[in-house]
Amino acid sequence: MASPRILLVGAGSMGSLHARVISSSGKAELATLVDPREHVGKEVAERFGTSWRPEIGDLTGIDGVVVAAATEAHPQLARQVLEAGVPLLVEKPVADGLETTLEIIELSERLGVPMMCGLLERFNPAVLTAQKLVEEPVYATAVRHSPYVPRIRTGVAWDLLVHDVDLAIRFLGEPVRVSGAVEQFHPASVPGAEDVAEAVLGFEDGGIAQISASRIGQRKIRSLSIHDLDRLVEIDLLRRDVTVYRHVSDQAADDDGRGYRQQTVIEIPELVTSVEPLAAQLAHFVGLIGGEVDADAERASIVPSHRVVEQLKTTHRR
């Protein structure tokens, strides 16, 4: 098929990244950029060689829409796109509530219009590499901390935690138990929008995932560790690298009585790909538009992480 024409909604920080990737990909054409703020929208549109308009409007001639607007605008925009019969990529979360998320996914299914959610870490080269290495995972730990950003009004569970919940599910399966806590600390946060979220997921075979998300950190951390019984796979999601540790021996005190010696083998595997995650996600979306990606499986893959976040927040409210 010819390169699909993509309409992008949102000219903020994430929208600008999408605009760069779409316009330079060679896999798709950035047909137009939508943002209600004329001065912002026009500047980004001109930078990436496309037109600007304040509203979605008529989608004739558009093959796909990427929604990178604020989370609170996602449901209305998603419905508008799906009802027009145009494939949709909506940034995470689909909505800041499971009920609305499921309604949008059901609308996509009922109308037979493909959709996907921008759970970007799925396409991180380090994650893709680790998936090739991990054999029998039993335990996962994830940390996703960031300095405070006042413009983000959604709580940290929907904004950050959902990424690592999604990754834990991809390594360990869908959880059967969810516990943890969420708490709000920053005076500038919207009431009910938590700043810290800690989740513990339990899996049917006994596996555990412990996930920490914070937006009141003083440095940016994006790390994921997956434990097999005989090895540890550490993933730095920011640097996009993988380190594998295997403890191979220990030895009693030497002749001089100087404690135990231990030996650990450290391996740094070559990444399976070097493609930027956002570019890999775009290629996946182009495949979804062209019918090369299973639309039903893609819809189904959105639900588990959103369900876990809802469970965590609901338990806290109670």
Side-chain angles (χ1 to χ4, degrees), residues 253-305:
D254 59 22
D255 293 339
D256 296 325
R258 291 191 297 250
Y260 281 85
R261 294 178 180 177
Q262 298 190 6
Q263 183 177 355
T264 300
V265 174
I266 301 175
E267 302 169 359
I268 301 176
E270 184 176 349
L271 298 181
V272 297
T273 178
S274 59
V275 177
E276 178 187 358
L278 207 59
Q281 180 180 261
L282 174 64
H284 190 79
F285 184 45
V286 169
L288 187 66
I289 292 170
E292 298 154 18
V293 173
D294 187 325
D296 290 332
E298 191 65 37
R299 287 188 202 96
S301 76
I302 298 170
V303 178
S305 59

